[in-house]
Amino acid sequence: MSATDTIEARIDRILVGAVDPHVHSGPSIAPRAIDHLELAREYEKAGFAAVITKDHDYSGVMTAALIARHNPDLRTKVYSSLVLNNVVGGMNPYAVEHHAAMGGKIVFMPTLAAENHLRWEKTSNWSHPASTQKMRPAAPVPVLDAHGKVRDDVKEVLDIVARTDMALASGHIHVSETWLVFEEAQRRGVKRLVFTHPEEIVGASLNDVRGIAAMGAFVEHSICMFIEGSKFKVCEEESLRGQIDAAGIGQTIIASDLGQPGTLTPLEGLRRGVRLCLDLGYGDEDIHRMVSTNAARAFGLEADVAAVTAG
């Protein structure tokens, strides 16, 4: 067996029981290379435990329910997130309660409609892949009031997230806003916090990563921003080490953030991400934590991981 074969076999084993909690499969108003069911079937072949789909404009809980009903033997479970952008009414407590009641796992603060994202778009040298001309332009969905305090409508959402034990993800709000929202979330009883891709858009430093992880939040990295072959690569590969070490292996989640056309598939992206972690010197068990068990803890998917790894 060649050295390359050995590495590929190690990657295979590391990914058994993996969870991809941030993947952009379709259908979507934005172009997608793979749909939710195709994604789950591809991940099932690789031994994944679960996937959480993310669309910037809708909750996929109904799609996830249909997939589960009509594919009872599918070992890779499909879940969905909700992003509080314009299409769902921004800070809409009705949408958040419905999402929770249908089995949703994550509520994201605004992404394409975040005030920070709209500022970022004006200065960024790349266009966000979900930007589209098919709808009216995004209107800002603020999270802070004129006095820099967390808005009451955001607090109402946080209360629902706390009551239903979903995870709260920071989305594309600025890191300075994330601190305030996460602190308020913890005061209101939210137990599951996820800091979204600090490496891009949100203006985070490694000190922010350290501090937010110290709060108990998981830090989720979009591996598509680090790996060769991804059209979204904006970070040096070596910089991933600094990000992981800042939060600690136990608080780090590696997600694909893929599914768009013209680039790597989500599975290939995660395989290259695992290879990068191996090249950076991380051990197999530590990498497995970052692609599997940490996400299982963050989103309450421990039983799904146990079912796959036991088999």
Side-chain angles (χ1 to χ4, degrees):
M1 182 179 290
S2 70
T4 301
D5 290 336
T6 302
I7 291 292
E8 293 302 314
R10 286 174 69 188
I11 294 171
D12 289 344
R13 290 192 297 271
I14 289 168
L15 286 174
V16 171
V19 175
D20 188 350
H22 188 146
V23 58
H24 293 289
S25 44
S28 175
I29 198 169
R32 299 298 182 219
I34 189 169
D35 69 34
H36 306 318
L37 182 55
E38 291 169 333
L39 175 75
R41 287 174 171 163
E42 185 170 301
Y43 272 168
E44 182 182 44
K45 293 176 184 177
F48 277 55
V51 58
I52 304 177
T53 66
K54 179 187 178 190
D55 193 274
H56 293 282
D57 297 309
Y58 69 88
S59 165
V61 287
M62 265 73 86
T63 300
L66 282 171
I67 290 173
R69 177 180 177 183
H70 294 288
N71 299 271
D73 297 326
L74 187 67
R75 289 172 61 80
T76 300
K77 303 306 178 186
V78 179
Y79 300 99
S80 179
S81 56
L82 172 68
V83 187
L84 298 177
N85 288 328
N86 303 130
V87 178
V88 301
M91 293 296 157
N92 182 353
Y94 296 95
V96 177
E97 287 183 341
H98 181 272
H99 181 69
M102 289 292 294
K105 292 297 181 182
I106 317 172
V107 175
F108 280 84
M109 287 289 104
T111 57
L112 306 188
E115 292 177 313
N116 174 68
H117 179 97
L118 296 173
R119 290 192 299 267
W120 170 83
E121 274 192 323
K122 294 177 181 178
T123 58
S124 174
N125 59 5
W126 64 283
S127 175
H128 192 277
S131 298
T132 175
Q133 300 302 313
K134 296 181 181 179
M135 299 189 304
R136 66 184 64 198
V141 176
V143 296
L144 304 182
D145 63 21
H147 305 289
K149 306 294 185 182
V150 176
R151 290 168 53 98
D152 288 343
D153 55 356
V154 176
K155 292 177 182 177
E156 189 171 4
V157 165
L158 298 180
D159 288 342
I160 299 167
V161 173
R163 186 174 70 246
T164 57
D165 197 32
M166 291 189 292
L168 176 73
S170 57
H172 292 187
I173 64 175
H174 193 267
V175 65
S176 60
E177 298 171 311
T178 296
W179 277 104
L180 297 173
V181 170
F182 277 11
E183 288 167 353
E184 184 65 32
Q186 287 189 323
R187 282 193 291 269
R188 306 183 88 84
V190 175
K191 302 299 184 187
R192 306 176 188 274
L193 298 172
V194 180
F195 185 23
T196 309
H197 53 57
E199 53 270 3
E200 180 67 345
I201 300 175
V202 302
S205 68
L206 290 181
N207 281 335
D208 289 314
V209 171
R210 290 186 191 95
I212 291 174
M215 295 175 66
F218 288 92
V219 180
E220 180 186 276
H221 297 293
S222 296
I223 202 62
C224 65
M225 298 181 182
F226 294 92
I227 51 175
E228 293 296 337
S230 167
K231 69 179 182 180
F232 306 118
K233 185 177 186 294
V234 292
C235 304
E236 294 300 322
E237 292 177 299
E238 177 66 27
S239 69
L240 181 61
R241 185 200 307 276
Q243 294 282 353
I244 292 172
D245 293 350
I249 288 167
Q251 295 301 119
T252 296
I253 294 171
I254 292 176
S256 73
D257 203 355
L258 288 165
Q260 308 86 350
T263 191
L264 303 169
T265 67
L267 178 57
E268 181 57 29
L270 281 175
R271 291 189 66 86
R272 294 193 187 194
V274 171
R275 177 64 181 262
L276 172 56
C277 289
L278 289 169
D279 291 344
L280 292 174
Y282 295 101
D284 295 27
E285 290 186 7
D286 286 341
I287 300 170
H288 182 74
R289 291 175 72 186
M290 294 188 286
V291 298
S292 173
T293 51
N294 290 346
R297 286 170 51 216
F299 307 114
L301 305 178
E302 293 93 340
D304 294 331
V305 171
V308 170
T309 55

